Amino acid sequence: MTFSNPWFIAALVGVLGVFHVELVATFLNLAQFRHALPERLKAIFSGETVQKAAEYAAASSRVDLLRSAVSLAALIAFWWGGGFDWLQRWSTAWGWGGIQTGVAVIGLLILAQNVLSLPFDVWDTFKVEAEFGFNRMTAGTFISDRVKGLVLSALLGGPLLALVLWFFQTQKLAALYAWLTVAGFSIVMAWVAPRLLMPLFLKFKPLENGTLREALLALAARLKFPVVDVSVVDGSRRSSKANAFLSGFGKNKRIALYDTLVEKHSQAELEAILAHEIGHHKCRHVPKQLALGLLETGLLFFLLHAALQSPAFFTAFGVAGMPLGLGLVLFSILYSPASLLLGLVSSASSRKHELEADAFAKTACGGQPLIEGLKKLSVDHLSHPNPHPLTVWLHYSHPPVGQRLAALEN
Ligand SMILES: [Zn+2]
């Protein structure tokens, strides 16, 4: 540990900086509840709902802050206690090749991170979400979701990681090849995930014949959107919160509505929500977000390449030698402030897309049904009625409900 190493200073300032920005944002966001609501929102959120939303925000924030504090403390203790050096010497003693060792070391650290965060996830699901009436998950579903998630990450992420490490071990243009590989992988996954992966977690059933199905298909036809199937998924097995999604490329679009959404919303509202989802596709938001993500990945690999060339980068973390797999992990620590900053760009772009999709839905179905649907969703989900701008910039993929309503009412 040396304070004269610039990599060390950058990593330390980075992790402490990210933690404190989140801390300040959380407190500002909770303090917002003390201010009176703008007129538009007073009509939607009753005093009782605001009170409950404040309690829910406080309880969730408590879990999140404690989770971050514990993981920050664990990281610094491991780092300053010589943990990375110990891990490097231990894994070298296995006598494996660089790539196998790299994949195993990264896998171990991801697993450790999962174990560390597990108690907080349990607390969040079975205490906070349950107390506010959202959780519908049994312990069995919770455990099987976890196990399936880890197995899938190992099966899909393992080989991808091995390939990326191989590029960095053998190729001069490693950053470029790794970037192209990840780009290809992301595009394939966008196609595969709704077809093969989501059914491992959710049950899809065709929406039964009736006026709702006919109305949704008629709307899709009117908007010249080739829908082949409308299904209902059993989101209610996990949470009472509702959601809708659309998937598919080319001429095979599938609409999936959470059963919780169908239960709570009128036909007109569901049509407006579908029109919003179709708006995302018509405005080509999926490829735009994907392109933005890939730009970020390109930058990441470029910087990673630079870091891996520098012995001082490894000594900043107390590691002798330049092990590749561990280098990737150390780089992810160093990269955390950059990823926070780049997250601002992608969530701002996502919020802009939401307003565009709302505008599309308004043209298709009129503003009123979507307004009603959004009001109902915000109250049901105990959303923060008036979040602080810093929290919105950092975390909101959707604009706060007040902003969406204002745009729709204009
Ligand atoms: Zn949307």
Side-chain angles (χ1 to χ4, degrees):
M1 196 208 321
T2 95
F3 284 92
S4 60
N5 185 332
W7 295 99
F8 175 84
I9 302 291
L12 186 61
V13 169
V15 290
L16 291 178
V18 169
F19 177 76
H20 286 95
V21 168
E22 296 285 2
L23 192 68
V24 170
T26 304
F27 282 114
L28 289 175
N29 197 39
L30 293 177
Q32 285 287 100
F33 280 105
R34 281 192 239 121
H35 303 307
L37 280 182
E39 284 307 316
R40 186 194 312 284
L41 296 175
K42 268 189 201 152
I44 313 167
F45 294 93
S46 69
E48 197 192 342
T49 308
V50 174
Q51 180 58 30
K52 240 183 135 190
E55 286 164 16
Y56 179 52
S60 309
S61 305
R62 197 173 306 137
V63 181
D64 291 342
L65 279 185
L66 272 171
R67 183 195 278 114
S68 315
V70 165
S71 79
L72 177 68
L75 169 66
I76 291 191
F78 192 74
W79 174 6
W80 293 11
F84 290 118
D85 183 48
W86 165 82
L87 188 59
Q88 145 73 349
R89 279 182 288 119
W90 180 51
S91 59
T92 311
W94 302 340
W96 298 357
I99 294 167
Q100 291 95 313
T101 313
V103 173
V105 163
I106 292 174
L108 272 177
L109 287 172
I110 291 177
L111 208 60
Q113 202 176 35
N114 259 278
V115 169
L116 204 62
S117 138
L118 187 64
F120 299 100
D121 300 342
V122 171
W123 179 11
D124 190 39
T125 307
F126 295 104
K127 183 94 178 64
V128 178
E129 295 288 305
E131 208 175 285
F132 290 88
F134 294 129
N135 182 49
R136 302 253 183 96
M137 212 180 313
T138 61
T141 316
F142 183 85
I143 294 167
S144 83
D145 276 5
R146 285 280 150 152
V147 172
K148 280 188 224 165
L150 281 173
V151 170
L152 271 180
S153 328
L155 288 178
L156 294 168
L160 181 70
L161 184 60
L163 190 58
V164 166
L165 290 175
W166 182 78
F167 287 138
F168 278 96
Q169 193 168 57
T170 59
Q171 304 295 315
K172 248 192 158 146
L173 293 176
L176 177 66
Y177 298 145
W179 182 68
L180 288 174
T181 306
V182 169
F185 181 80
S186 313
I187 291 165
V188 171
M189 285 309 290
W191 191 85
V192 163
R195 282 174 181 72
L196 300 176
L197 302 186
M198 279 184 201
L200 296 175
F201 296 90
L202 295 163
K203 268 204 199 73
F204 288 71
K205 265 199 310 201
L207 175 64
E208 55 190 63
N209 285 323
T211 48
L212 178 60
R213 189 186 172 89
E214 278 162 29
L216 294 179
L217 286 173
L219 174 69
R222 180 158 70 81
L223 297 175
K224 301 205 170 27
F225 190 76
V227 166
V228 291
D229 189 34
V230 188
S231 5
V232 179
V233 293
D234 60 342
S236 60
R237 277 207 313 133
R238 289 179 176 76
S239 169
S240 63
K241 290 182 179 173
N243 200 350
F245 55 87
L246 254 169
S247 73
F249 285 98
K251 297 214 172 348
N252 287 305
K253 316 281 196 209
R254 283 149 210 280
I255 307 167
L257 302 169
Y258 273 46
D259 49 1
T260 36
L261 194 72
V262 179
E263 263 165 43
K264 287 179 193 157
H265 291 266
S266 71
Q267 181 173 317
E269 288 164 16
L270 291 169
E271 284 178 41
I273 292 169
L274 174 61
H276 169 99
E277 297 300 326
I278 290 178
H280 279 309
H281 278 252
K282 290 278 178 181
C283 305
R284 311 204 51 74
H285 291 156
V286 180
K288 282 179 189 164
Q289 283 298 114
L290 194 63
L292 201 60
L294 288 177
L295 269 178
E296 187 191 340
T297 316
L299 178 71
L300 181 139
F301 280 129
F302 174 76
L303 295 174
L304 171 67
H305 194 73
L308 290 177
Q309 317 276 323
S310 160
F313 164 67
F314 289 90
T315 46
F317 294 94
V319 174
M322 295 165 76
L324 197 53
L326 196 53
L328 241 70
V329 174
L330 303 178
F331 180 75
S332 73
I333 298 169
L334 191 71
Y335 190 71
S336 57
S339 116
L340 182 93
L341 290 177
L342 292 167
L344 298 181
V345 178
S346 73
S347 58
S349 138
S350 163
R351 289 195 302 276
K352 183 171 150 270
H353 290 166
E354 291 306 324
L355 293 177
E356 286 170 12
D358 282 353
F360 181 89
K362 184 180 175 183
T363 314
C365 305
Q368 210 48 39
L370 190 58
I371 290 176
E372 292 310 317
L374 286 174
K375 285 180 181 172
K376 211 182 269 181
L377 279 172
S378 323
V379 171
D380 282 353
H381 291 188
L382 292 179
S383 307
H384 196 316
N386 193 22
H388 192 275
L390 183 57
T391 298
V392 175
W393 289 331
L394 287 172
H395 297 298
Y396 273 49
S397 60
H398 291 58
V401 67
Q403 201 191 334
R404 292 179 79 178
L405 294 180
L408 282 167
E409 281 162 13
N410 261 335

